[in-house]
Amino acid sequence: MQQTQSQVEKRLSEAGITLPKTPKPVAAYVPAKTVGKLVYTSGNDCRIDGILKYTGKVGKDLNVEQGYDAARQVAINLLGVLKDHIGDLDKVKQVVKMLAFVNSADGFTEQPFVINGASDLLELAFEDAGKHARSAISANELPFDTPVEIELIVELK
């Protein structure tokens, strides 16, 4: 029996995006947890096949455009986590909240523009349902020297 592609995955595929499988957690946590109709993801970074696409501080080692691309990759990874957790991204009613951290150089204050990489990707995937509340916070260090870490809360239908 052939599985049909979800509408969300169809939009992603048309943009040249293939979702990754959820990596094994590196510490004592689960990648996602459902409570009622809400799914909470753990923080994700910008890895592709286990290797960070970028490392370092935005505003020193990376410019805003590279930070944007890192945040976009994090959102792709988060969608992979959600797909593995719920089975079909069309089950997502809406993206509720994004909490994003940017590994920032001293004096760097353009975190919102970096995190737009993830926000724009979620709107591509879910259209209006991808519009969300969010926080874009500066961090002086992030695990493994990733430039961006993001977690999501989504509501299921």
Side-chain angles (χ1 to χ4, degrees), residues 2-22:
Q2 186 176 354
Q3 185 178 6
T4 59
Q5 192 176 41
S6 75
Q7 290 301 306
V8 171
E9 285 186 84
K10 183 177 180 203
R11 284 189 288 276
L12 293 170
S13 179
E14 289 170 355
I17 298 167
T18 303
L19 296 180
K21 290 288 184 193
T22 302

Side-chain angles (χ1 to χ4, degrees), residues 20 45-54 69 73 76-77:
D45 59 26
C46 62
R47 290 176 199 265
I48 298 174
D49 296 325
I51 298 169
L52 286 169
K53 186 171 184 178
Y54 299 98
D69 189 51
Q73 183 61 48
I76 291 168
N77 294 346

Side-chain angles (χ1 to χ4, degrees), residues 44-95:
N44 276 246
D45 59 26
C46 62
R47 290 176 199 265
I48 298 174
D49 296 325
I51 298 169
L52 286 169
K53 186 171 184 178
Y54 299 98
T55 59
K57 294 186 179 296
V58 182
K60 176 183 171 196
D61 307 308
L62 289 82
N63 61 31
V64 171
E65 292 76 22
Q66 291 167 313
Y68 178 101
D69 189 51
R72 182 179 187 275
Q73 183 61 48
V74 177
I76 291 168
N77 294 346
L78 284 163
L79 293 180
V81 168
L82 284 171
K83 180 181 180 200
D84 286 348
H85 185 72
I86 64 174
D88 179 352
L89 291 176
D90 285 349
K91 292 180 181 178
V92 173
K93 179 178 180 181
Q94 65 178 329
V95 179

